[in-house]
Amino acid sequence: MTGQPVTPCRAAEIETWADEADVVVVGFGAAGTSAAIEAVAAGAEVLVLDRAGAAGGAAAMSDGFIYLGGGTPEQHAAGYEDSIENMKTFLRAACGPAPDEAKIDAYCDSITEHREWLLARGVRFLGTVFPHANGTSPVDGEGLMFTGGENAYPFNTIAKPAPRGHIPQMANKKAGEASAGYMLMKSMVDTATSLGVRAEYETSRRTSCMVSVEAPCAVPPAARWLATNARTTPFKSTPWCW
Protein backbone atom coordinates (compact mmCIF):
# COMPACT_ATOMS: atom_id res chain seq x y z
CA MET A 1 0.00 0.00 0.00
CA THR A 2 1.26 3.46 -0.88
CA GLY A 3 -0.77 5.31 1.74
CA GLN A 4 -1.99 7.68 -0.97
CA PRO A 5 -5.72 8.46 -1.26
CA VAL A 6 -7.62 6.52 -3.92
CA THR A 7 -9.94 8.57 -6.11
CA PRO A 8 -12.48 6.97 -8.47
CA CYS A 9 -12.49 8.14 -12.08
CA ARG A 10 -13.92 6.90 -15.35
CA ALA A 11 -11.92 5.00 -17.96
CA ALA A 12 -12.50 7.77 -20.49
CA GLU A 13 -10.46 10.11 -18.29
CA ILE A 14 -7.29 8.01 -18.67
CA GLU A 15 -5.13 9.40 -21.46
CA THR A 16 -2.35 6.79 -21.58
CA TRP A 17 -2.41 3.07 -20.83
CA ALA A 18 0.77 1.19 -19.88
CA ASP A 19 -0.41 -2.13 -21.30
CA GLU A 20 -3.45 -3.98 -22.58
CA ALA A 21 -4.58 -7.63 -22.49
CA ASP A 22 -7.69 -9.75 -22.84
CA VAL A 23 -7.35 -10.95 -19.26
CA VAL A 24 -5.48 -9.27 -16.41
CA VAL A 25 -4.73 -11.50 -13.42
CA VAL A 26 -3.71 -9.97 -10.11
CA GLY A 27 -1.13 -12.13 -8.32
CA PHE A 28 1.24 -14.80 -9.69
CA GLY A 29 0.71 -17.30 -6.88
CA ALA A 30 -1.04 -20.66 -7.08
CA ALA A 31 -4.53 -19.29 -7.84
CA GLY A 32 -3.32 -16.60 -10.22
CA THR A 33 -1.07 -18.98 -12.12
CA SER A 34 -3.91 -21.49 -12.51
CA ALA A 35 -6.21 -18.76 -13.79
CA ALA A 36 -3.57 -17.49 -16.21
CA ILE A 37 -2.89 -20.98 -17.58
CA GLU A 38 -6.57 -21.66 -18.19
CA ALA A 39 -7.16 -18.24 -19.76
CA VAL A 40 -4.25 -18.48 -22.20
CA ALA A 41 -5.25 -22.05 -23.06
CA ALA A 42 -8.69 -20.69 -24.01
CA GLY A 43 -7.05 -18.30 -26.47
CA ALA A 44 -6.78 -15.12 -24.41
CA GLU A 45 -3.81 -12.78 -24.23
CA VAL A 46 -2.95 -12.77 -20.52
CA LEU A 47 -1.09 -10.27 -18.37
CA VAL A 48 -0.28 -11.04 -14.72
CA LEU A 49 0.49 -8.26 -12.25
CA ASP A 50 2.32 -9.03 -9.02
CA ARG A 51 3.52 -6.71 -6.30
CA ALA A 52 6.53 -8.97 -5.57
CA GLY A 53 9.75 -9.03 -7.52
CA ALA A 54 9.18 -12.54 -8.90
CA ALA A 55 6.46 -15.11 -9.47
CA GLY A 56 5.35 -17.73 -6.95
CA GLY A 57 3.52 -15.82 -4.24
CA ALA A 58 3.08 -17.24 -0.76
CA ALA A 59 2.63 -20.71 -2.30
CA ALA A 60 6.30 -20.77 -3.32
CA MET A 61 7.30 -20.37 0.34
CA SER A 62 4.87 -22.98 1.63
CA ASP A 63 5.26 -26.71 2.17
CA GLY A 64 3.29 -27.12 -1.05
CA PHE A 65 1.19 -30.13 -0.06
CA ILE A 66 -1.57 -31.03 -2.53
CA TYR A 67 -4.43 -32.87 -0.84
CA LEU A 68 -5.24 -35.80 -3.15
CA GLY A 69 -6.60 -39.25 -2.43
CA GLY A 70 -9.10 -41.89 -3.40
CA GLY A 71 -6.39 -44.33 -4.48
CA THR A 72 -3.79 -42.32 -6.39
CA PRO A 73 -0.85 -44.13 -8.00
CA GLU A 74 1.40 -42.60 -5.34
CA GLN A 75 -0.74 -44.04 -2.54
CA HIS A 76 -0.67 -47.47 -4.17
CA ALA A 77 3.12 -47.28 -4.63
CA ALA A 78 3.52 -46.51 -0.93
CA GLY A 79 1.34 -49.52 -0.01
CA TYR A 80 -1.81 -47.66 1.11
CA GLU A 81 -5.37 -48.40 0.04
CA ASP A 82 -7.81 -45.55 -0.33
CA SER A 83 -11.07 -44.85 -2.15
CA ILE A 84 -13.19 -41.83 -2.97
CA GLU A 85 -15.82 -42.94 -0.47
CA ASN A 86 -13.21 -43.51 2.25
CA MET A 87 -11.86 -40.02 1.63
CA LYS A 88 -15.34 -38.52 1.83
CA THR A 89 -16.01 -40.36 5.09
CA PHE A 90 -12.86 -38.91 6.65
CA LEU A 91 -13.56 -35.37 5.46
CA ARG A 92 -17.14 -35.43 6.72
CA ALA A 93 -15.81 -36.38 10.16
CA ALA A 94 -12.83 -34.00 10.08
CA CYS A 95 -14.77 -30.92 9.00
CA GLY A 96 -16.67 -30.56 12.26
CA PRO A 97 -20.33 -30.84 13.24
CA ALA A 98 -21.68 -29.23 10.04
CA PRO A 99 -19.54 -30.32 7.06
CA ASP A 100 -20.40 -28.94 3.65
CA GLU A 101 -21.16 -32.27 2.03
CA ALA A 102 -21.74 -30.77 -1.41
CA LYS A 103 -18.22 -29.28 -1.42
CA ILE A 104 -16.72 -32.48 -0.07
CA ASP A 105 -18.43 -34.52 -2.79
CA ALA A 106 -17.39 -32.08 -5.52
CA TYR A 107 -13.77 -32.05 -4.38
CA CYS A 108 -13.42 -35.80 -3.95
CA ASP A 109 -15.25 -36.68 -7.15
CA SER A 110 -12.83 -34.43 -9.08
CA ILE A 111 -9.63 -35.71 -7.46
CA THR A 112 -8.43 -37.61 -10.52
CA GLU A 113 -9.05 -34.57 -12.71
CA HIS A 114 -7.17 -32.34 -10.24
CA ARG A 115 -4.16 -34.65 -10.26
CA GLU A 116 -4.11 -35.00 -14.04
CA TRP A 117 -4.31 -31.22 -14.45
CA LEU A 118 -1.23 -30.77 -12.27
CA LEU A 119 0.69 -33.56 -14.01
CA ALA A 120 -0.04 -31.95 -17.38
CA ARG A 121 1.53 -28.72 -16.05
CA GLY A 122 4.76 -30.42 -15.07
CA VAL A 123 4.06 -31.16 -11.40
CA ARG A 124 5.36 -34.55 -10.25
CA PHE A 125 4.65 -36.65 -7.17
CA LEU A 126 6.42 -39.59 -5.50
CA GLY A 127 5.04 -42.74 -3.90
CA THR A 128 7.07 -42.81 -0.69
CA VAL A 129 5.64 -41.85 2.69
CA PHE A 130 6.83 -39.77 5.63
CA PRO A 131 4.92 -41.61 8.40
CA HIS A 132 5.42 -39.35 11.42
CA ALA A 133 4.81 -35.75 10.41
CA ASN A 134 4.44 -34.15 13.87
CA GLY A 135 4.06 -30.76 12.22
CA THR A 136 7.30 -31.08 10.25
CA SER A 137 7.98 -31.31 6.55
CA PRO A 138 9.82 -34.21 4.87
CA VAL A 139 13.58 -33.86 4.90
CA ASP A 140 14.60 -36.82 2.75
CA GLY A 141 12.43 -36.30 -0.31
CA GLU A 142 9.38 -38.30 0.74
CA GLY A 143 6.35 -37.89 -1.47
CA LEU A 144 3.37 -38.49 0.85
CA MET A 145 2.35 -37.34 4.33
CA PHE A 146 -0.54 -37.69 6.74
CA THR A 147 -1.50 -34.02 6.67
CA GLY A 148 -5.09 -34.03 7.89
CA GLY A 149 -4.97 -36.21 10.98
CA GLU A 150 -6.10 -39.26 9.03
CA ASN A 151 -4.06 -41.58 11.25
CA ALA A 152 -5.11 -39.92 14.53
CA TYR A 153 -7.92 -40.83 16.89
CA PRO A 154 -10.88 -40.73 16.42
CA PHE A 155 -10.58 -40.42 12.66
CA ASN A 156 -8.58 -43.65 12.33
CA THR A 157 -11.61 -45.47 13.75
CA ILE A 158 -14.04 -43.79 11.33
CA ALA A 159 -12.19 -44.14 8.03
CA LYS A 160 -9.22 -46.22 6.93
CA PRO A 161 -6.09 -44.05 7.35
CA ALA A 162 -4.26 -43.09 4.18
CA PRO A 163 -1.68 -40.35 3.57
CA ARG A 164 -3.16 -37.73 1.24
CA GLY A 165 -0.66 -34.89 1.39
CA HIS A 166 1.06 -35.21 -1.99
CA ILE A 167 4.38 -33.37 -2.05
CA PRO A 168 5.51 -31.88 -5.38
CA GLN A 169 8.87 -33.05 -6.68
CA MET A 170 11.33 -31.71 -9.22
CA ALA A 171 14.27 -32.93 -11.29
CA ASN A 172 17.68 -32.82 -9.61
CA LYS A 173 16.02 -32.15 -6.26
CA LYS A 174 18.29 -31.69 -3.26
CA ALA A 175 16.57 -32.23 0.09
CA GLY A 176 16.41 -29.11 2.21
CA GLU A 177 17.45 -26.81 -0.62
CA ALA A 178 13.98 -25.75 -1.79
CA SER A 179 10.48 -26.21 -0.40
CA ALA A 180 7.85 -28.30 -2.12
CA GLY A 181 5.92 -25.06 -2.60
CA TYR A 182 8.79 -23.75 -4.70
CA MET A 183 8.78 -26.96 -6.73
CA LEU A 184 5.04 -26.68 -7.27
CA MET A 185 5.18 -23.06 -8.37
CA LYS A 186 8.27 -23.45 -10.57
CA SER A 187 6.47 -26.08 -12.65
CA MET A 188 3.29 -24.04 -12.91
CA VAL A 189 4.96 -20.69 -13.63
CA ASP A 190 7.23 -22.29 -16.24
CA THR A 191 4.11 -23.71 -17.90
CA ALA A 192 2.34 -20.34 -17.83
CA THR A 193 5.26 -18.41 -19.34
CA SER A 194 5.88 -21.10 -21.97
CA LEU A 195 2.27 -20.64 -23.09
CA GLY A 196 2.80 -16.92 -23.55
CA VAL A 197 1.57 -15.44 -20.28
CA ARG A 198 3.23 -12.07 -19.68
CA ALA A 199 4.02 -10.70 -16.23
CA GLU A 200 4.78 -7.34 -14.63
CA TYR A 201 6.42 -7.33 -11.19
CA GLU A 202 6.71 -4.81 -8.34
CA THR A 203 3.48 -3.27 -9.58
CA SER A 204 2.38 -1.96 -6.18
CA ARG A 205 4.91 0.84 -6.60
CA ARG A 206 3.50 2.04 -9.87
CA THR A 207 0.06 0.56 -10.44
CA SER A 208 -3.21 0.80 -8.57
CA CYS A 209 -5.81 0.42 -11.26
CA MET A 210 -7.23 -1.77 -13.96
CA VAL A 211 -10.40 -1.34 -15.97
CA SER A 212 -12.51 -3.14 -18.49
CA VAL A 213 -13.64 -1.41 -21.64
CA GLU A 214 -16.32 -2.63 -24.04
CA ALA A 215 -17.22 -5.32 -21.53
CA PRO A 216 -19.94 -7.56 -23.01
CA CYS A 217 -20.51 -9.67 -19.91
CA ALA A 218 -22.93 -8.83 -17.14
CA VAL A 219 -21.02 -6.94 -14.49
CA PRO A 220 -22.21 -4.22 -12.10
CA PRO A 221 -21.83 -0.70 -13.53
CA ALA A 222 -19.31 0.07 -10.76
CA ALA A 223 -17.00 -2.57 -12.23
CA ARG A 224 -16.46 -0.37 -15.27
CA TRP A 225 -15.07 2.42 -13.13
CA LEU A 226 -11.41 2.95 -12.43
CA ALA A 227 -9.78 3.42 -9.03
CA THR A 228 -6.45 5.19 -9.31
CA ASN A 229 -4.31 8.00 -8.06
CA ALA A 230 -2.48 10.50 -10.21
CA ARG A 231 1.01 9.05 -9.56
CA THR A 232 0.35 5.64 -11.07
CA THR A 233 0.22 4.14 -14.54
CA PRO A 234 -2.94 2.17 -15.36
CA PHE A 235 -3.38 -1.08 -17.22
CA LYS A 236 -6.35 -1.93 -19.44
CA SER A 237 -8.17 -5.24 -19.78
CA THR A 238 -10.59 -6.01 -22.60
CA PRO A 239 -13.05 -7.50 -21.80
CA TRP A 240 -13.66 -7.61 -18.04
CA CYS A 241 -12.67 -11.04 -16.77
CA TRP A 242 -12.63 -11.41 -12.97
Side-chain angles (χ1 to χ4, degrees):
M1 301 296 290
T2 64
Q4 299 295 319
V6 176
T7 304
C9 62
R10 293 185 179 275
E13 299 175 21
I14 303 299
E15 296 180 358
T16 303
W17 294 95
D19 208 334
E20 185 171 351
D22 298 323
V23 176
V24 174
V25 178
V26 180
F28 217 169
T33 306
S34 299
I37 289 171
E38 287 298 292
V40 75
E45 181 184 358
V46 181
L47 173 66
V48 181
L49 306 180
D50 199 296
R51 65 181 180 178
M61 298 182 287
S62 73
D63 284 330
F65 303 129
I66 306 296
Y67 197 78
L68 304 171
T72 66
E74 292 76 31
Q75 288 177 312
H76 287 305
Y80 285 87
E81 294 182 5
D82 197 11
S83 68
I84 296 298
E85 193 54 45
N86 186 54
M87 185 176 180
K88 290 180 180 181
T89 299
F90 166 74
L91 288 175
R92 292 187 190 109
C95 288
D100 189 328
E101 297 201 18
K103 284 186 178 180
I104 291 172
D105 288 345
Y107 187 82
C108 294
D109 290 340
S110 300
I111 283 294
T112 298
E113 183 181 354
H114 293 168
R115 180 180 174 277
E116 292 299 323
W117 190 93
L118 290 166
L119 291 176
R121 275 78 193 172
V123 181
R124 294 292 178 264
F125 302 109
L126 184 64
T128 58
V129 69
F130 186 53
H132 305 295
N134 296 323
T136 63
S137 299
V139 294
D140 293 320
E142 294 89 351
L144 291 170
M145 284 182 64
F146 288 95
T147 53
E150 298 90 347
N151 57 344
Y153 182 85
F155 307 116
N156 57 1
T157 66
I158 297 171
K160 188 172 183 176
R164 300 193 180 99
H166 286 57
I167 304 159
Q169 309 291 313
M170 66 183 290
N172 303 317
K173 173 184 174 181
K174 294 181 181 179
E177 189 173 88
S179 70
Y182 169 83
M183 300 173 200
L184 168 69
M185 292 311 303
K186 185 179 188 309
S187 296
M188 293 183 62
V189 170
D190 285 351
T191 295
T193 55
S194 72
L195 292 173
V197 171
R198 296 184 292 116
E200 289 279 348
Y201 300 106
E202 297 183 342
T203 53
S204 62
R205 297 183 181 181
R206 51 197 173 90
T207 308
S208 66
C209 59
M210 284 168 290
V211 67
S212 164
V213 296
E214 303 173 354
C217 50
V219 294
R224 297 189 177 94
W225 285 54
L226 181 67
T228 185
N229 65 61
R231 301 188 310 109
T232 61
T233 304
F235 289 78
K236 181 166 63 173
S237 170
T238 312
W240 189 275
C241 297
W242 300 102

